[in-house]
Amino acid sequence: MSRFWSKVVHGLTPYTPGEQVRMPGLIKLNTNENPYGPSPKAIAAMQAAADDDLRRYSDPANLAVKDAVAHRLGVQREQVFVGNSSDEVLAHTFQALLKHELPLLLPDISYSFYATYCSLYGITAVPVPLNDRFEIDVEHYTAPCGAVIIANPNAPTGIALPLERIEALLANHRDQVVVVDEAYVDFGGASASALVDRYDNLLVIQTLSKSHSLAGLRVGFAVGHPDLIAGLERVKNSFNCYPLGQVAQAGAVASLDDVEYAAQTSRAVIATRERLTAEMLALGFEVLPSSANFIFVRHPGHDAVTIATGLRERAILVRHFKQPRIDQFLRISIGTDAECAALVDALKKLLA
Ligand SMILES: *Cc1c(COP(=O)(O)O)cnc(C)c1O
């Protein structure tokens, strides 16, 4: 607290990211990072980009990255927005497109940064409860609203909605923006980017942090109708004209172009997820059906915090959310096969 803080700062509840502990031997399954490294082509491109040109400002329009995204998702350059992480893209989206007279509808259990942006920008949010299987039910998004945001697959549940449900949500909100945050879509979801030509109210947001193993690079993007993108550009150019440096742009382009590498690491993560799910079920856990690079689990006979604390003592980090409805769940990122085997081993000892 300081008497120098503005009123806005006093009222903020900042997002709490999963801990970034660096400790030898630590098994870090708490922040949904990819256990595999980025594309070697992306690393080479970034090394090559670290040259004398760095004395110049980077391309403020991010054209090379926009073209790589457009090529990958089959859209036009004018339908792409690029930002320094999808969190930044989300922030601009909240300010540019989600602040209206009527409230914003969002799932009661979802990415908790949404509530943080609402408090930062003074947006009223109305939470819509997930159903009793922890699924988003688009039929429940009927209250008068100015906009809607969901994550698909949702976080921290990992459950994906089929495209046909997203389309129903879009069709029911022709006069409101519907944002679909697809941070995890490459691990088994279907991207709504295929619908942007048909729905001018749709904005799809993705990131290179998870399926491209580039959480440390901070690159995210959005695709949607050119008018939505133009709104985001207005906010971006009122905030920071150069959100991505030259090195990040080069790495993002090379990673987006190395389609096979990202697909291959995603397949490996999915295979490990399926094995880990079977082992967790065998240990008596309930496991929500995941289309993401994490699983969301609870044990009917063991307290979630007790399990998380026991794992931590064995140098394994998982994520717990102290939140109604999900306080008996743990979110476990998919690690390598060896890391997941160590997790199962530790759980066997803890539950015994
Ligand atoms: C990880 C995550 C993000 C943030 O991704 P960055 O690009 O690393 O900021 C956004 N939305 C959801 C649902 C996420 O899980």
Side-chain angles (χ1 to χ4, degrees), residues 89-344:
V89 175
L90 282 164
H92 292 339
T93 300
F94 273 72
Q95 200 170 28
L97 305 172
L98 305 185
K99 187 177 161 91
H100 298 286
E101 292 284 299
L102 286 168
L104 171 67
L105 299 186
L106 77 186
D108 64 336
I109 294 162
S110 196
Y111 186 40
S112 46
F113 227 130
Y114 303 154
T116 304
Y117 289 133
C118 286
S119 85
L120 178 60
Y121 294 121
I123 298 167
T124 308
V126 173
V128 182
L130 301 183
N131 69 20
D132 53 14
R133 291 188 301 280
F134 294 96
E135 298 159 343
I136 291 170
D137 188 337
V138 300
E139 302 304 327
H140 294 165
Y141 288 68
T142 51
C145 67
V148 178
I149 184 166
I150 62 168
N152 190 42
N154 196 16
T157 63
I159 298 175
L161 276 185
L163 267 196
E164 154 273 312
R165 294 286 76 205
I166 303 282
E167 194 159 5
L169 186 64
L170 290 163
N172 290 337
H173 294 89
R174 295 296 331 208
D175 296 321
Q176 290 88 24
V177 171
V178 174
V179 175
V180 184
D181 179 354
E182 295 187 346
Y184 301 104
V185 74
D186 294 332
F187 301 105
S191 177
S193 59
L195 301 174
V196 291
D197 286 333
R198 301 221 306 279
Y199 292 92
D200 63 358
N201 55 332
L202 168 63
L203 188 79
V204 175
I205 299 179
Q206 293 189 9
T207 174
L208 299 188
S209 294
K210 277 73 184 232
S211 59
H212 284 259
S213 313
L214 286 170
L217 196 64
R218 315 307 298 132
V219 180
F221 55 89
V223 298
H225 189 279
D227 292 349
L228 299 184
I229 302 305
L232 292 173
E233 296 288 354
R234 286 173 77 104
V235 171
K236 173 227 162 208
N237 290 321
S238 307
F239 178 80
N240 177 3
C241 290
Y242 308 96
L244 259 63
Q246 147 181 331
V247 174
Q249 292 184 14
V253 169
S255 191
L256 285 160
D257 286 349
D258 198 354
V259 179
E260 188 41 42
Y261 184 87
Q264 180 198 315
T265 47
S266 297
R267 280 196 298 273
V269 168
I270 292 167
T272 306
R273 178 185 77 209
E274 297 312 304
R275 274 193 289 277
L276 180 62
T277 299
E279 289 176 307
M280 297 297 284
L281 290 170
L283 289 174
F285 282 91
E286 177 190 352
V287 185
L288 299 191
S290 173
S291 298
N293 67 339
F294 57 85
I295 54 173
F296 203 48
V297 305
R298 68 178 159 190
H299 199 291
H302 294 267
D303 175 64
V305 172
T306 310
I307 297 174
T309 310
L311 288 173
R312 203 192 161 85
E313 282 161 6
R314 289 165 171 79
I316 300 174
L317 296 187
V318 299
R319 187 97 198 253
H320 175 260
F321 297 92
K322 209 169 144 202
Q323 197 188 321
R325 288 190 80 187
I326 57 167
D327 62 349
Q328 281 309 311
F329 278 91
L330 295 172
R331 192 194 70 188
I332 305 176
S333 311
I334 304 302
T336 61
D337 279 327
E339 288 172 327
C340 291
L343 167 76
V344 170

